[in-house]
């Protein structure tokens, strides 16, 4: 076994790999960009090397810089994590040429499965069922348009080197094919340096089922059962579980057998995932599951497999890379219970799930479950990288218990001022369809209305109680420093022991006016006493519910079922965010680059029509007009813009 490992990655996966490496007594080495100088993975490593500017292309994607860091620190092995260089065959070859151990599959296997059209041809030869489609070399728009018509709409356009939903577009109408193709090509070129695409038949009620495989250099390949990854939003996985609901032993044997065939077809070594698409219109059937692609690396959702098998997949990666045989034979790998994982993203579900960036002034994760994260309170969520900030993982005896525990955990998340999808995750997990296992990749889109946040009487009462508590404290001290009727926020917060019977309170909750008569209650401190308002935390009771909250400079943040609600006195100013303003100005929701302008100055546009497309955090975001009107101004393609910059102005129709 080697004695040191460099992780050519950042954030959550770097911390995850370090955890196993430290348990095995290995020296850990991190690399970091200028944006990550204070990141958690940097501090957790035994040694860290700065490799370049914030942009991934100049740091984490620069293989030469990573190899130089490995040489400078005496690293014996390189673990690529997932994303960045993890599926770069040229980098894998360079690692081996430098005399280092590559903790991943052979470059030939990466290349064989890295291009989707070639992989599908290889799978056909190996006897693995594949989805009908086109993966030819002719990439002309005319040929692709004709092939889409042959396959039949709806179709899915996919970047051949893609992953994570990037470069993937569903097209339902032939009239929209050209626009979808152009967008897929742009995203593929930006994310992977390759604008080629393939086309597949779109399964109208698809389920995404994948199989974890593992191979060694002694000719053995095993599977570690399947995972269900159907709960997706814009092709990005949101909640994963193992095993898959409704999976019979016959179908499991068929899909795991196909996965083993696929891995053996490329002489696979190490951890990999064979992804399948299943037709869920009439339950899972052995002849209704088709190969989609192979990920030649560790997956984001690997913890659910670890939970149900008791296997540390990173340890297996280390041992196989060192030349050891697989620790277990196929008949020794058993399923135990049910595991689920939810991806916690720094994003704003109320604003089209746009990524949210900034400092994590308050970051509290649920207790009693596995939480994999690469950030901590006081850290930064950067515009330069993927917005996933944590994974919440539970393991229970049954699926029902796992769903209930994960929903509870999502509701306990407290993050401010960065926005997260915690409340959205809880609503997904609580949804009756999800609880019964009735899931497919269209679940979130179909249930969009039911997944919106709902105001509760308890939450409103809690907000009013907070204001009443603060007002009474100020009055008791002979001050109106924090009063719902005016004044400035105080600099300290105490717990009032003797409250009046009732207090009439007016307040704003996320800018919405509320009022009512409340009876403030005594609440116990959760942390040390005497903290200032800027860092004070507590709980407030409303009926039977107990909510967490944080004091901020002009009020409170109330944490309700994973949602962070800003509570301010009635006369506090209410701000507005970036986006589409009532004045017709379309503002950048975050820093980025203009990659397309579907409408030009003078064009007549209808409400909801895209006007400008912004690329940020490696994804495209279309800004649409809030009403019918005429475009007066629009930014130019290639412009680099800052957050809240006006990208276009639409004058309302008369």
């Amino acid at each position: 076994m080697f004695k040191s490992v460099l992780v050519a990655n950042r954030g959550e996966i770097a911390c995850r790999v370090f955890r196993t490496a430290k348990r095995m007594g290995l020296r850990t080495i991190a690399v970091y960009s200028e944006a990550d100088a204070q990141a958690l993975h940097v501090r957790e490593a035994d040694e860290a090397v700065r490799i370049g500017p914030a942009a991934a292309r100049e740091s984490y994607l620069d293989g030469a810089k990573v190899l130089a860091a490995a040489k400078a620190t005496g690293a014996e092995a390189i673990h690529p994590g997932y994303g960045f260089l993890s599926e770069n065959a040229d980098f894998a070859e360079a690692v081996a040429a430098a005399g280092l151990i590559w903790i991943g599959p052979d470059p030939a296997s990466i290349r064989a499965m890295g291009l989707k059209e070639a992989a599908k041809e290889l799978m056909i030869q190996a006897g693995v069922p594949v989805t009908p489609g086109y993966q030819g070399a002719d990439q002309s728009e005319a040929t692709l348009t004709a092939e889409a018509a042959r396959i039949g709409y709806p179709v899915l356009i996919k970047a051949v080197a893609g992953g994570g939903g990037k470069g993937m577009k569903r097209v339902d109408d032939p009239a929209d094919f050209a626009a979808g193709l152009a967008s897929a090509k742009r995203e593929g070129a930006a994310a992977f340096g390759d604008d080629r695409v393939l086309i597949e038949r779109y399964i109208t009620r698809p389920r995404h089922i994948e199989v974890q495989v593992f191979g060694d250099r002694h000719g053995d390949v095993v599977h570690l059962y399947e995972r269900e990854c159907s709960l997706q939003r814009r092709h990005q996985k949101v909640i994963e579980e193992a095993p898959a609901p409704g999976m019979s032993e016959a179908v499991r044997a068929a899909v795991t057998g196909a996965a083993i065939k696929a891995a053996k077809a490329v002489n696979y070594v190490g951890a990999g995932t064979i992804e399948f698409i299943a037709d869920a219109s009439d339950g899972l059937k052995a002849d209704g599951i088709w190969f989609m692609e192979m990920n030649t690396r560790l997956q984001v959702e690997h913890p659910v497999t670890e939970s149900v098998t008791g296997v540390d997949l990173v340890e297996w990666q280390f041992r196989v890379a060192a030349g050891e045989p697989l620790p277990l034979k196929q008949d020794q790998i058993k399923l135990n219970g049910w595991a689920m994982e939810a991806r916690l993203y720094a994003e704003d579900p109320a604003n089209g799930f746009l990524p949210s960036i900034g400092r994590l002034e308050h970051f509290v994760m649920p207790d009693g479950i596995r939480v994999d994260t690469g950030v901590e309170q006081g850290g930064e969520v950067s515009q330069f990288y993927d917005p996933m900030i944590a994974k919440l993982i539970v393991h229970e005896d049954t699926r029902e218990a796992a769903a209930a525990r994960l929903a509870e955990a999502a509701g306990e998340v407290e993050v401010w001022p960065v926005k997260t999808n915690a409340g959205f995750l809880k609503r997904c997990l609580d949804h009756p369809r999800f609880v019964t296992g009735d899931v497919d990749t269209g679940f979130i889109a179909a249930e969009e209305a039911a997944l919106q946040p709902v105001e509760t009487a308890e939450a409103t009462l809690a907000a009013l109680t907070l204001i009443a508590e603060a007002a009474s404290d100020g009055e008791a001290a002979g001050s109106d420093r924090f009063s719902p009727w005016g004044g400035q926020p105080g600099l300290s917060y105490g717990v009032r022991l003797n409250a009046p019977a009732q207090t009439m309170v007016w307040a704003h909750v996320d800018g919405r006016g509320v009022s009512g008569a409340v009876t403030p209650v005594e609440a116990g401190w959760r942390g040390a006493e005497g903290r200032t308002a800027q860092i004070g935390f507590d709980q407030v009771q409303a009926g039977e519910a107990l909510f967490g909250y944080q004091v901020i400079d002009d009020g409170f943040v109330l944490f309700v079922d994973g949602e962070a609600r800003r509570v301010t006195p009635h006369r506090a100013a209410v701000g507005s965010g970036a986006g589409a303003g009532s004045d017709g100005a379309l503002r950048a929701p975050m820093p980025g680059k203009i990659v397309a302008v579907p409408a030009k100055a003078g064009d007549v546009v209808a409400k909801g029509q895209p006007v400008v497309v912004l690329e940020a955090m490696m994804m495209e975001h279309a800004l649409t007009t809030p009403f019918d009107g005429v475009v007066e101004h629009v930014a130019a393609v290639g412009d680099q813009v800052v957050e809240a910059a006006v990208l276009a102005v639409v004058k309302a129709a008369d």
Side-chain angles (χ1 to χ4, degrees), residues 334-525:
K334 306 295 183 183
L335 271 176
N336 174 34
W338 214 285
M340 285 188 184
E341 172 184 297
R343 301 189 187 190
L344 184 67
Y345 283 100
E347 62 185 12
D348 185 4
N351 192 22
F353 291 90
L354 287 172
S356 181
I357 61 176
R359 186 171 182 269
L360 295 163
E361 295 178 9
H362 183 50
F363 184 77
V364 176
M365 294 294 101
D367 293 328
I369 68 167
R370 175 175 170 178
V371 177
D372 286 8
T373 185
V375 298
E376 60 185 346
Q377 189 162 294
E380 293 277 342
V381 177
S382 168
Q383 63 171 299
F384 297 102
Y385 312 115
D386 188 273
M388 189 181 75
I389 54 176
K391 301 184 304 194
L392 312 178
I393 306 110
V394 301
H395 182 216
E396 301 289 344
D397 292 337
T398 65
R399 186 178 187 276
E400 293 77 8
R405 181 67 188 97
L406 190 54
E408 180 183 37
E412 294 171 353
V413 168
E414 298 182 7
V415 179
W416 178 263
V418 171
K419 296 178 174 61
T420 78
N421 65 333
F424 173 77
L425 292 172
K426 176 173 171 55
R427 292 187 291 276
C428 286
L429 291 157
D430 280 335
H431 194 285
R433 273 189 60 193
F434 180 84
V435 172
T436 60
D438 179 19
V439 295
D440 56 57
T441 59
F443 172 90
I444 289 176
E447 304 297 338
E448 183 177 3
L451 298 177
Q452 298 302 311
V454 177
E455 293 291 341
T456 65
E458 290 84 3
T460 299
L461 178 58
L464 296 174
T465 300
L466 286 170
I467 296 294
E469 286 279 1
S472 295
D473 288 337
E475 290 165 4
S479 168
D480 65 350
R481 289 180 301 171
F482 194 100
S483 167
W485 302 279
Q488 298 298 315
L491 297 178
S492 63
Y493 180 74
V495 178
R496 181 172 51 79
L497 300 179
N498 298 302
Q502 281 191 328
T503 303
M504 190 65 188
V505 183
W506 295 265
H508 281 120
V509 179
D510 289 339
R512 180 178 56 86
V514 297
S515 63
V518 301
T519 303
V521 299
E522 178 182 352
W525 285 104

Side-chain angles (χ1 to χ4, degrees), residues 57 61 83-84 87-88 114-116 158-168 184-196 297 615 618-619:
R57 291 182 184 277
L61 284 170
F84 293 136
E87 294 178 284
N88 187 312
L115 296 179
K116 290 180 172 61
K158 299 169 70 174
V160 299
K166 299 178 179 68
M168 185 182 298
K185 282 179 168 291
R186 282 196 304 268
E187 284 191 2
F192 313 108
D194 190 338
D195 72 348
R196 291 176 296 160
R297 53 170 169 79
E615 182 187 75
M618 303 176 71
M619 294 289 282

Side-chain angles (χ1 to χ4, degrees), residues 51-53 55-62 65:
I51 57 171
R57 291 182 184 277
E58 300 177 65
S59 51
Y60 297 109
L61 284 170
D62 191 324
K65 290 180 178 178

